[in-house]
Amino acid sequence: LREQTESDIALVLTPEQNAQWAAPQPTQKLMFQFRDMKWEDVLNWFASQQDLTLVMDRTPGGTFTYSDTRSYSPGEGIDLLNSVLMTRGFTLVRREKMLVVMELSANIPLELLPRVPLEQLDERGRFEIVSVLFPLDGRPVDAVLQEVKPYLSSYGRAIPLARGGHDHR
């Protein structure tokens, strides 16, 4: 329905208007005003606000109550939700245009986590779970593992990979 509507709109706009219509819109700020709302409804609302496809098998039980006057960017919103969801054994994972609700376990499949370049890691939230690959630049694998492990959450893993004669994580 959305595609048909956008196609119909494109037919009546001038080339300049079509260019403006297609241009990325400024990031929408979100306000969180929830009182005893079911998690399924909260997550559906958030996904629709960000034009993301929500994928979930289960959600935490109970409700979500949160209210403040601050405006949140999409990344800050995911981080806020994750900070509460993690206390209930769940997390949101953002992959391209999908928002996946996952139950937390020690064996989260790495292939389901978005791989984030090291230089973009600071664009992710404190409570987002991602995969990062970085070169060891000749440093011993065991020494790097010992340095990295204290920074991992209880769900984090440091896995050395051999590729092209160089060790990576």
Side-chain angles (χ1 to χ4, degrees):
L1 183 60
R2 181 179 293 177
E3 288 174 11
Q4 181 60 48
T5 301
E6 288 180 6
S7 176
D8 291 346
I9 290 171
L11 292 174
V12 297
L13 298 178
T14 67
E16 295 81 21
Q17 290 171 327
N18 268 312
Q20 188 176 12
W21 178 262
Q25 300 300 310
T27 302
Q28 177 184 357
K29 291 286 192 168
L30 304 169
M31 304 252 337
F32 286 82
Q33 304 286 327
F34 297 102
R35 182 170 202 79
D36 295 324
M37 194 166 206
K38 289 181 183 177
W39 275 103
E40 182 176 343
D41 296 334
V42 171
L43 298 173
N44 275 311
W45 171 84
F46 184 79
S48 71
Q49 293 297 305
Q50 301 308 308
D51 197 27
L52 298 171
T53 300
L54 184 63
V55 178
M56 63 182 169
D57 291 328
R58 288 182 26 149
T59 57
T63 59
F64 179 58
T65 298
Y66 185 87
S67 179
D68 70 18
T69 58
R70 184 173 169 215
S71 294
Y72 293 87
S73 70
E76 291 169 333
I78 287 176
D79 214 35
L80 172 70
L81 292 173
N82 271 340
S83 71
V84 178
L85 284 168
M86 285 184 168
T87 67
R88 289 165 170 78
F90 286 82
T91 190
L92 294 173
V93 174
R94 180 176 30 154
R95 287 186 56 105
E96 297 160 15
K97 294 297 285 177
M98 288 190 327
L99 187 63
V100 182
V101 180
M102 294 178 127
E103 280 193 80
L104 292 171
S105 71
N107 297 316
I108 296 173
L110 290 176
E111 58 274 3
L112 295 180
L113 299 177
R115 173 140 317 142
V116 177
L118 192 57
E119 57 275 2
Q120 293 177 9
L121 191 57
D122 62 346
E123 297 171 18
R124 295 297 184 130
R126 290 181 45 221
F127 296 97
E128 278 193 81
I129 298 177
V130 297
S131 171
V132 179
L133 183 72
F134 61 90
L136 300 182
D137 295 329
R139 289 173 279 206
V141 171
D142 292 338
V144 172
L145 287 174
Q146 292 305 314
E147 291 285 327
V148 168
K149 283 185 180 181
Y151 297 101
L152 299 174
S153 73
S154 56
Y155 303 105
R157 290 177 271 177
I159 303 169
L161 304 174
R163 188 162 86 176
H166 300 287
D167 287 325
H168 291 73
R169 177 180 93 79

